[in-house]
């Protein structure tokens, strides 16, 4: 064997089947990749919450720079969130991003909770004019209803598929 490393004897704690510290893991073959099951729709729905994380973060930084008393209508379309709405989006986006990328087994519960919360927000925004202190414009109301419809569809689909396999 070359170098300063002794040859492995095949027994002991370092004799696992994985690559050693100086070895690279081999790339999977096309057949192995084809055999890998795709991620469920609900996981991708949870990952879509990263949009809320980015939007909420951008808007909170904008308010920190321009002042929290800035009129939301001074921002471009798609960014006209008030600070409370930006914070709510940031929190839900952070939770969804963490669950979607690092804890996908909790994606169904997250997506259903997300759908329920934003149904309340969209409902109050549409019928009351204010959703939990957030003044929603027409485009925000439409956006939330579209997001809610997609979230309910993905979450309920995953829930029904889970109950079919039990």
């Amino acid at each position: 064997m070359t170098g300063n490393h002794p040859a492995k004897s095949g027994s002991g704690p370092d004799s696992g089947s994985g690559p050693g510290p100086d070895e690279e893991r081999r790339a999977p073959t096309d057949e192995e990749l084809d055999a890998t099951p795709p991620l469920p729709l609900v996981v991708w729905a949870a990952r879509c919450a990263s949009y809320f994380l980015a939007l909420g973060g951008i808007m909170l930084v904008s308010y920190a720079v321009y002042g929290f008393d800035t009129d939301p209508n001074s921002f471009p379309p798609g960014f006209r969130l008030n600070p409370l709405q930006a914070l709510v989006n940031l929190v839900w986006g952070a939770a969804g991003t963490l669950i979607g990328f690092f804890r996908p087994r909790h994606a169904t519960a997250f997506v259903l909770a997300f759908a329920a919360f934003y149904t309340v927000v969209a409902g109050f925004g549409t019928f009351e004019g204010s959703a939990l202190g957030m003044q929603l414009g027409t485009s925000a109301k439409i956006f939330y209803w579209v997001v809610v419809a997609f979230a309910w569809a993905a979450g309920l689909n995953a829930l029904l598929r889970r109950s079919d396999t039990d």
Side-chain angles (χ1 to χ4, degrees):
M1 177 148 227
T2 62
N4 296 333
H5 301 287
K8 290 186 179 181
S9 65
S11 64
D14 294 334
S15 65
S17 62
D22 295 334
E23 299 174 19
E24 288 187 35
R25 184 171 36 162
R26 69 172 184 80
T29 63
D30 288 341
E31 291 80 19
E32 290 171 338
L33 289 174
D34 288 341
T36 304
L39 289 173
L41 177 65
V42 73
V43 173
W44 287 105
R47 289 179 175 186
C48 285
S50 60
Y51 169 78
F52 284 82
L53 174 67
L55 182 61
I58 289 169
M59 290 310 301
L60 286 177
V61 168
S62 298
Y63 279 114
V65 170
Y66 295 115
F68 284 92
D69 58 345
T70 304
D71 181 22
N73 291 323
S74 65
F75 294 112
F79 291 93
R80 293 181 178 159
L81 306 176
N82 61 30
L84 177 61
Q85 193 176 359
L87 180 65
V88 168
N89 283 354
L90 180 79
V91 170
W92 277 99
T97 301
L98 290 172
I99 289 170
F101 286 101
F102 301 108
R103 297 282 187 244
R105 67 180 172 270
H106 302 298
T108 303
F110 168 77
V111 169
L112 290 172
F114 178 91
F117 177 79
Y118 277 101
T119 298
V120 170
V121 169
F124 280 144
T126 300
F127 302 113
E128 295 286 325
S130 174
L132 309 174
M134 301 181 279
Q135 298 295 327
L136 302 180
T138 303
S139 59
K141 293 173 193 173
I142 293 170
F143 173 74
Y144 282 137
W145 281 116
V146 170
V147 167
V148 161
F150 174 70
W152 279 117
L156 290 175
N157 180 34
L159 193 63
L160 292 175
R161 286 181 186 261
R162 182 186 298 170
S163 65
D164 287 344
T165 60
D166 290 341

